[in-house]
Amino acid sequence: MNVLITGASGNLASGVVESLEDRYELRLSDVAPVVTKHQFVQADVRRRDDLIRAAEGMDIILHTPAWHGIHLGSRTQSDFWELNVDGTFNLFQAAVANRVPKVVWISSMAVHSRDNIYGLSKFVGEELCQFYHRTAGIRCIMLRPADFTPYRNRKHYAERLLHGGVDRRDVIAAAVLAVANETVDCEAFAILRQDPWTPDDVQEWPHDPFAVLERYVCGARRLVERYGLSLAGRIGTSDITAANAKLGYEPHHNFITFLRELAERDALGDAAEWLQQR
Ligand SMILES: NC(=O)c1ccc[n+]([C@@H]2O[C@H](COP(=O)([O-])OP(=O)(O)OC[C@H]3O[C@@H](n4cnc5c(N)ncnc54)[C@H](O)[C@@H]3O)[C@@H](O)[C@H]2O)c1
């Protein structure tokens, strides 16, 4: 099976390449040259002909390039449109021209916030997926990850796991499952972390978060206080039922798994240093 991965040197795609390379014939593509043992085609997704060339002979395209939330202050609306929307249109033009039957398209949970150009670009991108599914029969799996941007250090990573974050490794696993999936025709999936919280935990948290954490990790309060972790004011639950049922997505990382790892590091005596690492 031949898989084209666009934006191949990016945060998500580079991890997906490592996970797929033993099972698929990979062709990588990016706007700038990439040193790789795989086939590589330099392609700017804003240029349709580049993508048509890159997609030749492919069975699946995993499409990742986009300006995203962190670029909202530094990139113009035109930049967002050209890369995120025109780039996606060109992707489908290339898929049609080369009769590529399946696309895995990386959307975002920002698709729900259409009052900024990023969210709008993801909404339009998903509409293009639906359109090309209806009109050209291309199977489209759209993944909507939460925030997995690189973190400053492990403390930052942990704190994000109580807000809108999801572990990059879980997002990579979701993309790998989407590439392998043979049953979904055209559907979008929330790719979120899975927390263990019960409804009682969610209610109790704003009054006594330590009581909640101690139910899962003995000594949680001491760890949080000792290493100066800031806790969110509230917690909630997330729904990954569809991704679990249809893709087999089972995220492994959340604040509790992090705290357990921190407890192990604490016992070894190198937790403070470990928390400062990326
Ligand atoms: N990072 C997050 O937290 C997050 C969250 C939700 C959704 N997403 C989505 O996931 C996808 C991947 O995100 P990421 O963080 O891995 O992105 P990234 O910024 O790390 O990588 C993007 C890649 O696209 C390439 N690229 C840029 N312009 C290009 C062009 N004109 N032509 C071809 N390639 C080009 C870049 O060189 C880079 O390799 C994006 O679609 C993003 O919107 C990201």
Side-chain angles (χ1 to χ4, degrees), residues 113-205:
S113 357
R114 267 166 264 155
D115 51 358
N116 68 60
I117 190 70
Y118 177 52
L120 178 67
S121 74
K122 290 299 182 187
F123 174 76
V124 176
E126 288 197 5
E127 286 294 313
L128 286 167
C129 291
Q130 303 276 359
F131 176 79
Y132 281 97
H133 174 64
R134 286 195 304 272
T135 60
I138 298 175
R139 288 180 56 215
C140 292
I141 300 183
M142 297 156 262
L143 301 181
R144 297 172 174 169
D147 182 11
F148 63 93
T149 43
Y151 44 87
R152 291 190 297 279
N153 52 38
R154 282 204 180 85
K155 185 165 177 287
H156 177 217
Y157 160 80
E159 290 167 353
R160 220 167 55 183
L161 290 178
L162 289 173
H163 294 278
V166 58
D167 190 292
R168 171 179 178 262
R169 292 166 288 183
D170 288 327
V171 182
I172 290 170
V176 169
L177 287 165
V179 167
N181 180 277
E182 291 180 354
T183 52
V184 173
D185 269 339
C186 186
E187 194 165 341
F189 297 98
I191 302 302
L192 310 171
R193 64 173 193 273
Q194 188 162 44
D195 295 327
W197 319 130
T198 64
D200 284 351
D201 293 340
V202 173
Q203 272 214 323
E204 188 175 2
W205 182 280

Side-chain angles (χ1 to χ4, degrees), residues 58 62 127 249:
M58 293 295 110
L62 168 65
E127 286 294 313
Y249 173 62

